[in-house]
Amino acid sequence: MKTIKLDHIGIAVENLDEALEFWQDVLGLECQGTEVVEEQAVKVAFLPVGDTEVELLESTTPDGPIAKFIERNGGGGIQHLAFRVDDIEQAIEYMNAKGMRMIDGQPRYGAGGAKIAFVHPKSSHRVLVELSERE
Ligand code: ZN
């Protein structure tokens, strides 16, 4: 498995428009558009900065994974770190061979057409790690 770079930092927010007032208007990052990922019940905004991106995640349903995270964490915050890998299928096999517990045994589609898989936080010292392959 080749880990190429920190692809993005996933941040759970209660309200995307309000969050953008900080990330975009105050910090000066540029939002490159928003996208709804139905499968994960989220509305996503990507804000590139240097060689990586900030990913803001707002839940589209009250019982989605991001809504639950926000509830558990008293209003949201950093939810996951995503690392770009060269080959997602191979990365999953590698993780399994290393005895890591995967949330996703198969790649699924994420925002921006990426193929992604999450490592279980129990295997990654309480940090939710996303592996992401994109063009
Ligand atoms: Zn992500």
Side-chain angles (χ1 to χ4, degrees):
M1 178 179 98
K2 190 169 181 219
T3 307
I4 297 165
K5 65 170 195 167
L6 180 66
D7 190 77
H8 62 267
I9 301 163
I11 299 172
V13 300
E14 285 180 303
N15 181 298
L16 206 50
D17 293 328
E18 283 174 19
L20 283 170
E21 286 174 18
F22 171 72
W23 294 98
Q24 190 171 246
D25 304 344
V26 178
L27 209 54
L29 307 187
E30 199 179 316
C31 178
Q32 288 213 323
T34 58
E35 180 184 341
V36 172
V37 182
E38 298 287 353
E39 196 190 321
Q40 291 170 64
V42 284
K43 189 173 166 193
V44 183
F46 276 102
L47 299 94
V49 53
D51 197 32
T52 189
E53 296 183 8
V54 169
E55 178 190 59
L56 302 177
L57 302 145
E58 179 194 278
S59 187
T60 55
T61 59
D63 58 348
I66 290 299
K68 285 181 186 157
F69 176 86
I70 286 172
E71 206 179 289
R72 279 200 311 272
N73 291 274
I78 295 178
Q79 200 252 352
H80 66 271
L81 297 182
F83 293 92
R84 175 92 54 99
V85 296
D86 59 339
D87 182 329
I88 190 75
E89 279 89 1
Q90 191 205 37
I92 292 169
E93 269 177 41
Y94 172 85
M95 285 291 172
N96 286 331
K98 285 279 181 190
M100 300 295 108
R101 191 165 147 197
M102 296 297 294
I103 291 174
D104 302 301
Q106 298 291 328
R108 55 182 160 122
Y109 282 90
K115 290 199 280 181
I116 65 170
F118 283 96
V119 181
H120 197 284
K122 284 207 167 127
S123 287
S124 47
H125 300 264
R126 313 297 307 160
V127 177
L128 180 59
V129 170
E130 174 187 332
L131 304 174
S132 171
E133 177 193 333
R134 12 179 188 172
E135 302 305 307

